[in-house]
Amino acid sequence: HIPLAQKLNAAMFGLEHRFFGESQPFGDLELEHLKYLTIDQAMADLSKFISDVILKHQNAAKNTKIRIGVIGGSYPGALSSWFRLKYPQFAFASWASSAPIFIKNDFTEYDEHVAGELAAVSDKCLANTKSVLEQVAKKAFEDTEKLRKDFGFLDDEQPNDMVYCVTDILAAMIQYNSILKLLTQHCELQSKGPNYEGLVSIINQTCNRLGQPISSSNLRLQTNTSVHSPFASGRSWSYMTCNEVGWFQTASGKLRPSLLDLSYFEGICKDLFGFESLADENEKN
């Protein structure tokens, strides 16, 4: 984006999404306030910024026509696409990178993609990784204390949540391999058969390089409503997934343990926010 902006002599503005970082309308993340954390509100924020900040420059400069593009990756990419549809008067173009613009709750495609990345290294790496994750799922219920000790979980974390955390950190290692550079080592460790100790090593290395404990992936720990909590951004994003966008990274049958199905995430949404059902996919689509 930056080289293109330089080529076009363009100015770039980076906006912080409401309810993330310092952009806190109420100063806490209580449920009564999170109802203002919506796609429509986020787009309205962007339209106001464009109107109040950018277009003022156009009005002040005679014979100048400013063309505005909105850009983003992943959810912000989808947001930029939706914004151009809803506010065409403000967006000449939209650049949506890796944007899941179709909202769905049962988002098995992510698991399929991660499995494909392992298969691209070798079929053995995928098969043995799938098997070792099944071992983790079994240990979580049958040898819980060993799993806690091996991966550094907190004393009160539940077995299914620990399975989710291990899988989530592994997926992050694969998705961000260009930065973390652990995929080759992982597949070497899993080349001769399912290697539990090898997985423990890779997960712990990934957590160290990310600079966060494995429990930071535990969605059920996002109960703290303080904007200063280490789980604050996670709580805001979980509210959006439960309330509007879905995109729950469910098991596809290719990699993740089967217990990480849609019912697992339904339980998360009920525990965190009291939701009895997930987002209506058809409403936003």
Side-chain angles (χ1 to χ4, degrees):
H1 298 145
I2 293 175
L4 181 61
Q6 292 171 333
K7 182 178 179 180
L8 297 175
N9 193 31
M12 293 185 70
F13 298 85
L15 273 64
E16 188 172 70
H17 198 293
R18 58 167 55 205
F19 287 94
F20 290 87
E22 299 298 317
S23 300
Q24 302 294 337
F26 297 97
D28 64 57
L29 300 173
E30 296 286 353
L31 185 59
E32 63 179 311
H33 294 150
L34 287 175
K35 66 183 178 181
Y36 297 104
L37 173 54
T38 66
I39 293 169
D40 286 339
Q41 290 283 2
M43 289 194 292
D45 289 342
L46 180 54
S47 71
K48 182 169 177 59
F49 177 83
I50 290 173
S51 177
D52 290 359
V53 178
I54 299 178
L55 294 184
K56 279 188 176 181
H57 291 282
Q58 175 176 294
N59 296 333
K62 296 180 179 180
N63 301 320
T64 299
K65 177 65 176 178
I66 297 175
R67 294 196 300 185
I68 299 167
V70 285
I71 62 178
S74 192
Y75 160 67
L79 195 65
S80 72
S81 179
W82 299 328
F83 182 83
R84 187 167 184 266
L85 289 173
K86 187 168 184 179
Y87 296 92
Q89 72 274 27
F90 288 147
F92 175 80
S94 166
W95 184 346
S97 298
S98 301
I101 57 174
F102 183 72
I103 285 174
K104 61 182 301 189
N105 287 315
D106 200 3
F107 193 50
T108 57
E109 289 86 347
Y110 182 78
D111 189 53
E112 292 172 359
H113 169 73
V114 174
E117 292 296 300
L118 291 174
V121 178
S122 74
D123 290 337
K124 281 187 177 181
C125 183
L126 172 58
N128 292 332
T129 301
K130 186 176 188 299
S131 294
V132 78
L133 286 177
E134 290 169 356
Q135 288 183 20
V136 168
K138 187 176 181 180
K139 284 180 182 293
F141 292 91
E142 297 180 1
D143 200 355
T144 309
E145 291 310 311
K146 177 172 174 53
L147 203 72
R148 286 193 209 280
K149 183 177 179 181
D150 288 343
F151 291 101
F153 286 108
L154 303 174
D155 290 341
D156 57 349
E157 292 186 76
Q158 298 304 305
N160 55 353
D161 295 329
M162 291 192 286
V163 176
Y164 174 80
C165 288
V166 171
T167 309
D168 187 60
I169 294 295
L170 180 68
M173 182 275 291
I174 297 166
Q175 181 176 350
Y176 302 110
N177 182 57
S178 61
I179 299 171
L180 299 174
K181 302 186 185 304
L182 288 171
L183 180 56
T184 299
Q185 181 184 347
H186 167 75
C187 285
E188 287 175 351
L189 289 168
Q190 302 299 330
S191 63
K192 296 180 181 179
N195 184 343
Y196 173 77
E197 296 301 332
L199 180 68
V200 172
S201 173
I202 287 294
I203 295 298
N204 288 332
Q205 286 185 66
T206 301
C207 288
N208 287 336
R209 294 191 184 185
L210 291 173
Q212 60 189 43
I214 193 168
S215 297
S216 63
S217 288
N218 191 339
L219 304 177
R220 221 179 295 271
L221 297 182
Q222 297 170 353
T223 55
N224 193 324
T225 60
S226 168
V227 297
H228 304 296
S229 162
F231 297 99
S233 291
R235 178 174 170 83
S236 293
W237 178 242
S238 288
Y239 180 83
M240 296 197 75
T241 59
C242 292
N243 187 52
E244 281 192 301
V245 301
W247 296 330
F248 297 107
Q249 296 171 8
T250 49
S252 67
K254 294 187 176 181
L255 183 62
R256 293 182 176 229
S258 59
L259 65 85
L260 299 177
D261 58 8
L262 200 56
S263 64
Y264 171 74
F265 294 98
E266 288 173 339
I268 295 290
C269 293
K270 184 172 183 178
D271 286 353
L272 289 180
F273 309 112
F275 291 163
E276 295 296 334
S277 61
L278 299 179
D280 181 352
E281 297 171 343
N282 295 321
E283 180 183 353
K284 280 296 181 290
N285 286 331

